[in-house]
Amino acid sequence: MASLNVGSLGEYIREQRRNAQYSLRQLADAAGVSNPYLSQIERGLRKPSAEILQQIAKALRISAETLYVQAGILEERHGDAPGLRVAILADPLISERQKQALLAVYEAFLKENRESAEPAADKAAETGG
């Protein structure tokens, strides 16, 4: 587990709040946290719990995983296209269901490519090439 990167987390939350066109007070109300507490998070002065991050993510209509990755609580899944999943999950223009559908299609393509690459690698190993 990586260390909590509070400064960039706060900046990220502020950016997402502005993209969603929320005032600090509006987001605090929607997330169920106090206005001063949210301000401290955005300024990198407080380390929010995973539960608070989840509340903020829900209010921003982004995936909690996005904030967990940003906070360093979770590692980015897989080494392939690390920013793609975060970008999809952070996009405020598509619904949570649409985000999950996009990620499922992407994962299916990756799985298909891995499976088709394995027989070719096995054949190359057999022929010494």
Side-chain angles (χ1 to χ4, degrees), residues 41-79:
I41 291 170
E42 284 192 359
R43 290 181 290 142
L45 303 175
R46 296 294 290 254
K47 296 180 181 181
S49 67
E51 182 179 324
I52 296 296
L53 288 175
Q54 186 173 18
Q55 290 170 219
I56 292 170
K58 185 176 180 182
L60 289 170
R61 294 186 181 102
I62 62 174
S63 165
E65 180 183 345
T66 303
L67 290 184
Y68 296 159
V69 168
Q70 199 66 32
I73 294 171
L74 279 181
E75 293 296 323
E76 180 71 44
R77 288 191 288 178
H78 308 293

PDB file of all heavy atoms in Angstrom, residues 41-79:
ATOM      1  N   ILE A  41      -9.080  19.295   3.342  1.00  0.00           N
ATOM      2  CA  ILE A  41      -8.703  18.177   2.465  1.00  0.00           C
ATOM      3  C   ILE A  41      -8.153  18.732   1.154  1.00  0.00           C
ATOM      4  O   ILE A  41      -7.092  18.310   0.684  1.00  0.00           O
ATOM      5  CB  ILE A  41      -9.909  17.245   2.198  1.00  0.00           C
ATOM      6  CG1 ILE A  41     -10.305  16.494   3.475  1.00  0.00           C
ATOM      7  CG2 ILE A  41      -9.579  16.255   1.080  1.00  0.00           C
ATOM      8  CD1 ILE A  41     -11.625  15.736   3.359  1.00  0.00           C
ATOM      9  N   GLU A  42      -8.869  19.682   0.566  1.00  0.00           N
ATOM     10  CA  GLU A  42      -8.438  20.257  -0.711  1.00  0.00           C
ATOM     11  C   GLU A  42      -7.089  20.961  -0.605  1.00  0.00           C
ATOM     12  O   GLU A  42      -6.319  20.964  -1.556  1.00  0.00           O
ATOM     13  CB  GLU A  42      -9.492  21.233  -1.248  1.00  0.00           C
ATOM     14  CG  GLU A  42     -10.695  20.550  -1.846  1.00  0.00           C
ATOM     15  CD  GLU A  42     -11.587  21.504  -2.630  1.00  0.00           C
ATOM     16  OE1 GLU A  42     -11.293  22.714  -2.696  1.00  0.00           O
ATOM     17  OE2 GLU A  42     -12.591  21.018  -3.189  1.00  0.00           O
ATOM     18  N   ARG A  43      -6.811  21.532   0.544  1.00  0.00           N
ATOM     19  CA  ARG A  43      -5.538  22.229   0.727  1.00  0.00           C
ATOM     20  C   ARG A  43      -4.424  21.292   1.186  1.00  0.00           C
ATOM     21  O   ARG A  43      -3.288  21.722   1.372  1.00  0.00           O
ATOM     22  CB  ARG A  43      -5.700  23.382   1.721  1.00  0.00           C
ATOM     23  CG  ARG A  43      -6.535  24.514   1.138  1.00  0.00           C
ATOM     24  CD  ARG A  43      -6.697  25.668   2.095  1.00  0.00           C
ATOM     25  NE  ARG A  43      -7.567  25.271   3.192  1.00  0.00           N
ATOM     26  CZ  ARG A  43      -7.398  25.649   4.464  1.00  0.00           C
ATOM     27  NH1 ARG A  43      -6.411  26.419   4.810  1.00  0.00           N
ATOM     28  NH2 ARG A  43      -8.247  25.242   5.391  1.00  0.00           N
ATOM     29  N   GLY A  44      -4.744  20.007   1.336  1.00  0.00           N
ATOM     30  CA  GLY A  44      -3.726  19.030   1.710  1.00  0.00           C
ATOM     31  C   GLY A  44      -3.382  19.030   3.186  1.00  0.00           C
ATOM     32  O   GLY A  44      -2.355  18.490   3.582  1.00  0.00           O
ATOM     33  N   LEU A  45      -4.254  19.595   4.013  1.00  0.00           N
ATOM     34  CA  LEU A  45      -3.991  19.668   5.449  1.00  0.00           C
ATOM     35  C   LEU A  45      -4.566  18.502   6.232  1.00  0.00           C
ATOM     36  O   LEU A  45      -4.166  18.263   7.364  1.00  0.00           O
ATOM     37  CB  LEU A  45      -4.557  20.988   6.022  1.00  0.00           C
ATOM     38  CG  LEU A  45      -4.031  22.266   5.378  1.00  0.00           C
ATOM     39  CD1 LEU A  45      -4.757  23.480   5.943  1.00  0.00           C
ATOM     40  CD2 LEU A  45      -2.529  22.378   5.581  1.00  0.00           C
ATOM     41  N   ARG A  46      -5.524  17.794   5.641  1.00  0.00           N
ATOM     42  CA  ARG A  46      -6.158  16.658   6.311  1.00  0.00           C
ATOM     43  C   ARG A  46      -6.071  15.422   5.450  1.00  0.00           C
ATOM     44  O   ARG A  46      -6.087  15.507   4.225  1.00  0.00           O
ATOM     45  CB  ARG A  46      -7.640  16.959   6.582  1.00  0.00           C
ATOM     46  CG  ARG A  46      -7.900  18.102   7.529  1.00  0.00           C
ATOM     47  CD  ARG A  46      -7.433  17.810   8.954  1.00  0.00           C
ATOM     48  NE  ARG A  46      -8.244  16.817   9.594  1.00  0.00           N
ATOM     49  CZ  ARG A  46      -9.130  17.057  10.533  1.00  0.00           C
ATOM     50  NH1 ARG A  46      -9.339  18.276  10.938  1.00  0.00           N
ATOM     51  NH2 ARG A  46      -9.827  16.078  11.065  1.00  0.00           N
ATOM     52  N   LYS A  47      -5.995  14.268   6.110  1.00  0.00           N
ATOM     53  CA  LYS A  47      -5.985  12.971   5.434  1.00  0.00           C
ATOM     54  C   LYS A  47      -7.350  12.322   5.622  1.00  0.00           C
ATOM     55  O   LYS A  47      -7.647  11.811   6.694  1.00  0.00           O
ATOM     56  CB  LYS A  47      -4.905  12.068   6.029  1.00  0.00           C
ATOM     57  CG  LYS A  47      -3.507  12.570   5.843  1.00  0.00           C
ATOM     58  CD  LYS A  47      -2.505  11.620   6.474  1.00  0.00           C
ATOM     59  CE  LYS A  47      -1.099  12.146   6.309  1.00  0.00           C
ATOM     60  NZ  LYS A  47      -0.113  11.227   6.882  1.00  0.00           N
ATOM     61  N   PRO A  48      -8.186  12.338   4.596  1.00  0.00           N
ATOM     62  CA  PRO A  48      -9.523  11.754   4.743  1.00  0.00           C
ATOM     63  C   PRO A  48      -9.470  10.231   4.783  1.00  0.00           C
ATOM     64  O   PRO A  48      -8.601   9.603   4.181  1.00  0.00           O
ATOM     65  CB  PRO A  48     -10.251  12.238   3.492  1.00  0.00           C
ATOM     66  CG  PRO A  48      -9.170  12.450   2.488  1.00  0.00           C
ATOM     67  CD  PRO A  48      -7.971  12.901   3.268  1.00  0.00           C
ATOM     68  N   SER A  49     -10.409   9.658   5.507  1.00  0.00           N
ATOM     69  CA  SER A  49     -10.521   8.198   5.565  1.00  0.00           C
ATOM     70  C   SER A  49     -11.078   7.688   4.245  1.00  0.00           C
ATOM     71  O   SER A  49     -11.604   8.454   3.428  1.00  0.00           O
ATOM     72  CB  SER A  49     -11.463   7.798   6.702  1.00  0.00           C
ATOM     73  OG  SER A  49     -12.788   8.210   6.401  1.00  0.00           O
ATOM     74  N   ALA A  50     -10.993   6.382   4.055  1.00  0.00           N
ATOM     75  CA  ALA A  50     -11.552   5.767   2.851  1.00  0.00           C
ATOM     76  C   ALA A  50     -13.055   6.019   2.783  1.00  0.00           C
ATOM     77  O   ALA A  50     -13.614   6.241   1.698  1.00  0.00           O
ATOM     78  CB  ALA A  50     -11.256   4.271   2.832  1.00  0.00           C
ATOM     79  N   GLU A  51     -13.725   6.031   3.926  1.00  0.00           N
ATOM     80  CA  GLU A  51     -15.166   6.272   3.963  1.00  0.00           C
ATOM     81  C   GLU A  51     -15.494   7.689   3.495  1.00  0.00           C
ATOM     82  O   GLU A  51     -16.421   7.889   2.698  1.00  0.00           O
ATOM     83  CB  GLU A  51     -15.694   6.068   5.382  1.00  0.00           C
ATOM     84  CG  GLU A  51     -17.194   6.244   5.496  1.00  0.00           C
ATOM     85  CD  GLU A  51     -17.691   6.002   6.910  1.00  0.00           C
ATOM     86  OE1 GLU A  51     -17.167   5.122   7.603  1.00  0.00           O
ATOM     87  OE2 GLU A  51     -18.623   6.724   7.311  1.00  0.00           O
ATOM     88  N   ILE A  52     -14.725   8.668   3.947  1.00  0.00           N
ATOM     89  CA  ILE A  52     -14.942  10.057   3.521  1.00  0.00           C
ATOM     90  C   ILE A  52     -14.664  10.194   2.024  1.00  0.00           C
ATOM     91  O   ILE A  52     -15.403  10.859   1.295  1.00  0.00           O
ATOM     92  CB  ILE A  52     -14.064  11.039   4.332  1.00  0.00           C
ATOM     93  CG1 ILE A  52     -14.461  11.020   5.807  1.00  0.00           C
ATOM     94  CG2 ILE A  52     -14.141  12.450   3.760  1.00  0.00           C
ATOM     95  CD1 ILE A  52     -15.856  11.488   6.112  1.00  0.00           C
ATOM     96  N   LEU A  53     -13.591   9.530   1.551  1.00  0.00           N
ATOM     97  CA  LEU A  53     -13.294   9.570   0.116  1.00  0.00           C
ATOM     98  C   LEU A  53     -14.449   8.986  -0.685  1.00  0.00           C
ATOM     99  O   LEU A  53     -14.791   9.490  -1.749  1.00  0.00           O
ATOM    100  CB  LEU A  53     -11.999   8.811  -0.189  1.00  0.00           C
ATOM    101  CG  LEU A  53     -10.707   9.489   0.251  1.00  0.00           C
ATOM    102  CD1 LEU A  53      -9.520   8.570  -0.006  1.00  0.00           C
ATOM    103  CD2 LEU A  53     -10.517  10.819  -0.457  1.00  0.00           C
ATOM    104  N   GLN A  54     -15.044   7.926  -0.154  1.00  0.00           N
ATOM    105  CA  GLN A  54     -16.176   7.310  -0.843  1.00  0.00           C
ATOM    106  C   GLN A  54     -17.359   8.282  -0.914  1.00  0.00           C
ATOM    107  O   GLN A  54     -18.018   8.395  -1.951  1.00  0.00           O
ATOM    108  CB  GLN A  54     -16.589   6.022  -0.137  1.00  0.00           C
ATOM    109  CG  GLN A  54     -17.654   5.242  -0.857  1.00  0.00           C
ATOM    110  CD  GLN A  54     -17.916   3.906  -0.208  1.00  0.00           C
ATOM    111  OE1 GLN A  54     -17.569   3.664   0.939  1.00  0.00           O
ATOM    112  NE2 GLN A  54     -18.549   3.015  -0.949  1.00  0.00           N
ATOM    113  N   GLN A  55     -17.616   9.010   0.165  1.00  0.00           N
ATOM    114  CA  GLN A  55     -18.706   9.985   0.187  1.00  0.00           C
ATOM    115  C   GLN A  55     -18.445  11.112  -0.813  1.00  0.00           C
ATOM    116  O   GLN A  55     -19.355  11.547  -1.518  1.00  0.00           O
ATOM    117  CB  GLN A  55     -18.862  10.573   1.597  1.00  0.00           C
ATOM    118  CG  GLN A  55     -19.398   9.605   2.614  1.00  0.00           C
ATOM    119  CD  GLN A  55     -19.322  10.141   4.036  1.00  0.00           C
ATOM    120  OE1 GLN A  55     -19.019   9.402   4.939  1.00  0.00           O
ATOM    121  NE2 GLN A  55     -19.587  11.423   4.238  1.00  0.00           N
ATOM    122  N   ILE A  56     -17.194  11.570  -0.864  1.00  0.00           N
ATOM    123  CA  ILE A  56     -16.829  12.636  -1.799  1.00  0.00           C
ATOM    124  C   ILE A  56     -16.980  12.138  -3.239  1.00  0.00           C
ATOM    125  O   ILE A  56     -17.520  12.832  -4.100  1.00  0.00           O
ATOM    126  CB  ILE A  56     -15.401  13.150  -1.520  1.00  0.00           C
ATOM    127  CG1 ILE A  56     -15.356  13.876  -0.169  1.00  0.00           C
ATOM    128  CG2 ILE A  56     -14.914  14.060  -2.639  1.00  0.00           C
ATOM    129  CD1 ILE A  56     -13.950  14.209   0.324  1.00  0.00           C
ATOM    130  N   ALA A  57     -16.502  10.914  -3.489  1.00  0.00           N
ATOM    131  CA  ALA A  57     -16.599  10.334  -4.836  1.00  0.00           C
ATOM    132  C   ALA A  57     -18.061  10.219  -5.265  1.00  0.00           C
ATOM    133  O   ALA A  57     -18.404  10.553  -6.409  1.00  0.00           O
ATOM    134  CB  ALA A  57     -15.921   8.972  -4.869  1.00  0.00           C
ATOM    135  N   LYS A  58     -18.898   9.768  -4.368  1.00  0.00           N
ATOM    136  CA  LYS A  58     -20.327   9.626  -4.697  1.00  0.00           C
ATOM    137  C   LYS A  58     -20.928  10.983  -5.032  1.00  0.00           C
ATOM    138  O   LYS A  58     -21.678  11.120  -6.006  1.00  0.00           O
ATOM    139  CB  LYS A  58     -21.068   8.982  -3.525  1.00  0.00           C
ATOM    140  CG  LYS A  58     -22.518   8.694  -3.812  1.00  0.00           C
ATOM    141  CD  LYS A  58     -23.169   7.969  -2.664  1.00  0.00           C
ATOM    142  CE  LYS A  58     -24.630   7.677  -2.976  1.00  0.00           C
ATOM    143  NZ  LYS A  58     -25.303   7.018  -1.866  1.00  0.00           N
ATOM    144  N   ALA A  59     -20.585  12.004  -4.247  1.00  0.00           N
ATOM    145  CA  ALA A  59     -21.112  13.351  -4.499  1.00  0.00           C
ATOM    146  C   ALA A  59     -20.613  13.903  -5.836  1.00  0.00           C
ATOM    147  O   ALA A  59     -21.337  14.614  -6.521  1.00  0.00           O
ATOM    148  CB  ALA A  59     -20.715  14.285  -3.356  1.00  0.00           C
ATOM    149  N   LEU A  60     -19.365  13.557  -6.202  1.00  0.00           N
ATOM    150  CA  LEU A  60     -18.789  14.024  -7.464  1.00  0.00           C
ATOM    151  C   LEU A  60     -19.198  13.150  -8.649  1.00  0.00           C
ATOM    152  O   LEU A  60     -18.856  13.445  -9.795  1.00  0.00           O
ATOM    153  CB  LEU A  60     -17.258  14.063  -7.372  1.00  0.00           C
ATOM    154  CG  LEU A  60     -16.669  15.158  -6.491  1.00  0.00           C
ATOM    155  CD1 LEU A  60     -15.180  14.921  -6.291  1.00  0.00           C
ATOM    156  CD2 LEU A  60     -16.916  16.521  -7.115  1.00  0.00           C
ATOM    157  N   ARG A  61     -19.866  12.033  -8.349  1.00  0.00           N
ATOM    158  CA  ARG A  61     -20.265  11.059  -9.362  1.00  0.00           C
ATOM    159  C   ARG A  61     -19.056  10.476 -10.094  1.00  0.00           C
ATOM    160  O   ARG A  61     -19.047  10.343 -11.324  1.00  0.00           O
ATOM    161  CB  ARG A  61     -21.259  11.670 -10.353  1.00  0.00           C
ATOM    162  CG  ARG A  61     -22.566  12.024  -9.724  1.00  0.00           C
ATOM    163  CD  ARG A  61     -23.583  12.480 -10.750  1.00  0.00           C
ATOM    164  NE  ARG A  61     -24.828  12.834 -10.110  1.00  0.00           N
ATOM    165  CZ  ARG A  61     -25.206  14.087  -9.874  1.00  0.00           C
ATOM    166  NH1 ARG A  61     -24.440  15.080 -10.233  1.00  0.00           N
ATOM    167  NH2 ARG A  61     -26.351  14.336  -9.278  1.00  0.00           N
ATOM    168  N   ILE A  62     -18.025  10.168  -9.304  1.00  0.00           N
ATOM    169  CA  ILE A  62     -16.869   9.462  -9.837  1.00  0.00           C
ATOM    170  C   ILE A  62     -16.669   8.212  -8.996  1.00  0.00           C
ATOM    171  O   ILE A  62     -17.255   8.086  -7.922  1.00  0.00           O
ATOM    172  CB  ILE A  62     -15.578  10.340  -9.834  1.00  0.00           C
ATOM    173  CG1 ILE A  62     -15.195  10.745  -8.416  1.00  0.00           C
ATOM    174  CG2 ILE A  62     -15.748  11.548 -10.735  1.00  0.00           C
ATOM    175  CD1 ILE A  62     -13.857  11.486  -8.337  1.00  0.00           C
ATOM    176  N   SER A  63     -15.860   7.318  -9.464  1.00  0.00           N
ATOM    177  CA  SER A  63     -15.608   6.085  -8.744  1.00  0.00           C
ATOM    178  C   SER A  63     -14.768   6.352  -7.496  1.00  0.00           C
ATOM    179  O   SER A  63     -13.810   7.128  -7.544  1.00  0.00           O
ATOM    180  CB  SER A  63     -14.867   5.114  -9.660  1.00  0.00           C
ATOM    181  OG  SER A  63     -14.312   4.063  -8.921  1.00  0.00           O
ATOM    182  N   ALA A  64     -15.122   5.702  -6.404  1.00  0.00           N
ATOM    183  CA  ALA A  64     -14.309   5.811  -5.183  1.00  0.00           C
ATOM    184  C   ALA A  64     -12.908   5.284  -5.460  1.00  0.00           C
ATOM    185  O   ALA A  64     -11.923   5.804  -4.921  1.00  0.00           O
ATOM    186  CB  ALA A  64     -14.964   5.045  -4.039  1.00  0.00           C
ATOM    187  N   GLU A  65     -12.807   4.281  -6.335  1.00  0.00           N
ATOM    188  CA  GLU A  65     -11.500   3.729  -6.695  1.00  0.00           C
ATOM    189  C   GLU A  65     -10.591   4.811  -7.260  1.00  0.00           C
ATOM    190  O   GLU A  65      -9.389   4.836  -6.993  1.00  0.00           O
ATOM    191  CB  GLU A  65     -11.673   2.594  -7.711  1.00  0.00           C
ATOM    192  CG  GLU A  65     -10.361   1.972  -8.129  1.00  0.00           C
ATOM    193  CD  GLU A  65     -10.531   0.892  -9.181  1.00  0.00           C
ATOM    194  OE1 GLU A  65     -11.653   0.410  -9.403  1.00  0.00           O
ATOM    195  OE2 GLU A  65      -9.514   0.531  -9.785  1.00  0.00           O
ATOM    196  N   THR A  66     -11.162   5.723  -8.010  1.00  0.00           N
ATOM    197  CA  THR A  66     -10.391   6.828  -8.576  1.00  0.00           C
ATOM    198  C   THR A  66      -9.723   7.633  -7.471  1.00  0.00           C
ATOM    199  O   THR A  66      -8.535   7.951  -7.552  1.00  0.00           O
ATOM    200  CB  THR A  66     -11.302   7.764  -9.402  1.00  0.00           C
ATOM    201  OG1 THR A  66     -11.938   6.991 -10.405  1.00  0.00           O
ATOM    202  CG2 THR A  66     -10.519   8.883 -10.042  1.00  0.00           C
ATOM    203  N   LEU A  67     -10.491   7.948  -6.436  1.00  0.00           N
ATOM    204  CA  LEU A  67      -9.928   8.718  -5.320  1.00  0.00           C
ATOM    205  C   LEU A  67      -8.957   7.879  -4.503  1.00  0.00           C
ATOM    206  O   LEU A  67      -7.948   8.388  -4.028  1.00  0.00           O
ATOM    207  CB  LEU A  67     -11.033   9.273  -4.425  1.00  0.00           C
ATOM    208  CG  LEU A  67     -11.875  10.387  -5.037  1.00  0.00           C
ATOM    209  CD1 LEU A  67     -12.873  10.923  -4.015  1.00  0.00           C
ATOM    210  CD2 LEU A  67     -11.013  11.517  -5.553  1.00  0.00           C
ATOM    211  N   TYR A  68      -9.242   6.589  -4.351  1.00  0.00           N
ATOM    212  CA  TYR A  68      -8.318   5.715  -3.605  1.00  0.00           C
ATOM    213  C   TYR A  68      -6.965   5.642  -4.309  1.00  0.00           C
ATOM    214  O   TYR A  68      -5.921   5.679  -3.671  1.00  0.00           O
ATOM    215  CB  TYR A  68      -8.886   4.304  -3.455  1.00  0.00           C
ATOM    216  CG  TYR A  68     -10.149   4.196  -2.639  1.00  0.00           C
ATOM    217  CD1 TYR A  68     -10.987   3.102  -2.781  1.00  0.00           C
ATOM    218  CD2 TYR A  68     -10.534   5.181  -1.730  1.00  0.00           C
ATOM    219  CE1 TYR A  68     -12.149   2.975  -2.040  1.00  0.00           C
ATOM    220  CE2 TYR A  68     -11.703   5.069  -0.994  1.00  0.00           C
ATOM    221  CZ  TYR A  68     -12.503   3.959  -1.147  1.00  0.00           C
ATOM    222  OH  TYR A  68     -13.654   3.834  -0.424  1.00  0.00           O
ATOM    223  N   VAL A  69      -6.991   5.529  -5.633  1.00  0.00           N
ATOM    224  CA  VAL A  69      -5.743   5.505  -6.411  1.00  0.00           C
ATOM    225  C   VAL A  69      -5.023   6.839  -6.252  1.00  0.00           C
ATOM    226  O   VAL A  69      -3.829   6.895  -6.005  1.00  0.00           O
ATOM    227  CB  VAL A  69      -6.016   5.187  -7.900  1.00  0.00           C
ATOM    228  CG1 VAL A  69      -4.785   5.437  -8.756  1.00  0.00           C
ATOM    229  CG2 VAL A  69      -6.490   3.740  -8.057  1.00  0.00           C
ATOM    230  N   GLN A  70      -5.770   7.930  -6.375  1.00  0.00           N
ATOM    231  CA  GLN A  70      -5.196   9.264  -6.248  1.00  0.00           C
ATOM    232  C   GLN A  70      -4.580   9.468  -4.870  1.00  0.00           C
ATOM    233  O   GLN A  70      -3.546  10.109  -4.727  1.00  0.00           O
ATOM    234  CB  GLN A  70      -6.288  10.309  -6.512  1.00  0.00           C
ATOM    235  CG  GLN A  70      -5.787  11.673  -6.855  1.00  0.00           C
ATOM    236  CD  GLN A  70      -5.044  11.729  -8.179  1.00  0.00           C
ATOM    237  OE1 GLN A  70      -5.351  10.993  -9.100  1.00  0.00           O
ATOM    238  NE2 GLN A  70      -4.068  12.582  -8.265  1.00  0.00           N
ATOM    239  N   ALA A  71      -5.220   8.903  -3.836  1.00  0.00           N
ATOM    240  CA  ALA A  71      -4.743   9.047  -2.462  1.00  0.00           C
ATOM    241  C   ALA A  71      -3.591   8.108  -2.144  1.00  0.00           C
ATOM    242  O   ALA A  71      -2.940   8.249  -1.118  1.00  0.00           O
ATOM    243  CB  ALA A  71      -5.899   8.789  -1.488  1.00  0.00           C
ATOM    244  N   GLY A  72      -3.356   7.123  -3.024  1.00  0.00           N
ATOM    245  CA  GLY A  72      -2.296   6.168  -2.758  1.00  0.00           C
ATOM    246  C   GLY A  72      -2.757   5.013  -1.891  1.00  0.00           C
ATOM    247  O   GLY A  72      -1.953   4.205  -1.447  1.00  0.00           O
ATOM    248  N   ILE A  73      -4.063   4.922  -1.644  1.00  0.00           N
ATOM    249  CA  ILE A  73      -4.609   3.822  -0.852  1.00  0.00           C
ATOM    250  C   ILE A  73      -4.617   2.548  -1.688  1.00  0.00           C
ATOM    251  O   ILE A  73      -4.329   1.467  -1.197  1.00  0.00           O
ATOM    252  CB  ILE A  73      -6.028   4.157  -0.360  1.00  0.00           C
ATOM    253  CG1 ILE A  73      -5.966   5.326   0.635  1.00  0.00           C
ATOM    254  CG2 ILE A  73      -6.699   2.955   0.279  1.00  0.00           C
ATOM    255  CD1 ILE A  73      -7.323   5.879   1.024  1.00  0.00           C
ATOM    256  N   LEU A  74      -4.930   2.690  -2.971  1.00  0.00           N
ATOM    257  CA  LEU A  74      -4.928   1.562  -3.917  1.00  0.00           C
ATOM    258  C   LEU A  74      -3.884   1.818  -4.984  1.00  0.00           C
ATOM    259  O   LEU A  74      -3.671   2.959  -5.388  1.00  0.00           O
ATOM    260  CB  LEU A  74      -6.273   1.460  -4.635  1.00  0.00           C
ATOM    261  CG  LEU A  74      -7.431   0.784  -3.961  1.00  0.00           C
ATOM    262  CD1 LEU A  74      -8.634   0.785  -4.889  1.00  0.00           C
ATOM    263  CD2 LEU A  74      -7.103  -0.619  -3.538  1.00  0.00           C
ATOM    264  N   GLU A  75      -3.282   0.758  -5.442  1.00  0.00           N
ATOM    265  CA  GLU A  75      -2.388   0.850  -6.592  1.00  0.00           C
ATOM    266  C   GLU A  75      -3.240   0.792  -7.843  1.00  0.00           C
ATOM    267  O   GLU A  75      -4.286   0.156  -7.865  1.00  0.00           O
ATOM    268  CB  GLU A  75      -1.400  -0.325  -6.603  1.00  0.00           C
ATOM    269  CG  GLU A  75      -0.409  -0.300  -5.465  1.00  0.00           C
ATOM    270  CD  GLU A  75       0.536   0.893  -5.508  1.00  0.00           C
ATOM    271  OE1 GLU A  75       0.934   1.296  -6.622  1.00  0.00           O
ATOM    272  OE2 GLU A  75       0.845   1.426  -4.441  1.00  0.00           O
ATOM    273  N   GLU A  76      -2.787   1.455  -8.886  1.00  0.00           N
ATOM    274  CA  GLU A  76      -3.471   1.391 -10.175  1.00  0.00           C
ATOM    275  C   GLU A  76      -3.489  -0.062 -10.616  1.00  0.00           C
ATOM    276  O   GLU A  76      -2.480  -0.751 -10.537  1.00  0.00           O
ATOM    277  CB  GLU A  76      -2.720   2.246 -11.196  1.00  0.00           C
ATOM    278  CG  GLU A  76      -3.342   2.257 -12.551  1.00  0.00           C
ATOM    279  CD  GLU A  76      -4.631   3.038 -12.592  1.00  0.00           C
ATOM    280  OE1 GLU A  76      -4.680   4.117 -12.036  1.00  0.00           O
ATOM    281  OE2 GLU A  76      -5.588   2.524 -13.194  1.00  0.00           O
ATOM    282  N   ARG A  77      -4.629  -0.537 -11.051  1.00  0.00           N
ATOM    283  CA  ARG A  77      -4.725  -1.928 -11.497  1.00  0.00           C
ATOM    284  C   ARG A  77      -3.995  -2.111 -12.811  1.00  0.00           C
ATOM    285  O   ARG A  77      -4.156  -1.300 -13.722  1.00  0.00           O
ATOM    286  CB  ARG A  77      -6.179  -2.342 -11.665  1.00  0.00           C
ATOM    287  CG  ARG A  77      -6.882  -2.510 -10.339  1.00  0.00           C
ATOM    288  CD  ARG A  77      -8.198  -3.162 -10.511  1.00  0.00           C
ATOM    289  NE  ARG A  77      -9.118  -2.217 -11.125  1.00  0.00           N
ATOM    290  CZ  ARG A  77     -10.363  -2.493 -11.441  1.00  0.00           C
ATOM    291  NH1 ARG A  77     -10.853  -3.673 -11.211  1.00  0.00           N
ATOM    292  NH2 ARG A  77     -11.127  -1.592 -12.000  1.00  0.00           N
ATOM    293  N   HIS A  78      -3.217  -3.170 -12.886  1.00  0.00           N
ATOM    294  CA  HIS A  78      -2.490  -3.571 -14.094  1.00  0.00           C
ATOM    295  C   HIS A  78      -1.464  -2.512 -14.503  1.00  0.00           C
ATOM    296  O   HIS A  78      -1.597  -1.350 -14.199  1.00  0.00           O
ATOM    297  CB  HIS A  78      -3.427  -3.857 -15.273  1.00  0.00           C
ATOM    298  CG  HIS A  78      -4.520  -4.826 -14.946  1.00  0.00           C
ATOM    299  ND1 HIS A  78      -4.288  -6.144 -14.665  1.00  0.00           N
ATOM    300  CD2 HIS A  78      -5.856  -4.649 -14.834  1.00  0.00           C
ATOM    301  CE1 HIS A  78      -5.441  -6.743 -14.407  1.00  0.00           C
ATOM    302  NE2 HIS A  78      -6.394  -5.860 -14.499  1.00  0.00           N
ATOM    303  N   GLY A  79      -0.482  -2.936 -15.234  1.00  0.00           N
ATOM    304  CA  GLY A  79       0.528  -2.022 -15.718  1.00  0.00           C
ATOM    305  C   GLY A  79       0.181  -1.439 -17.074  1.00  0.00           C
ATOM    306  O   GLY A  79       0.806  -0.516 -17.525  1.00  0.00           O
TER     307      GLY A  79
END
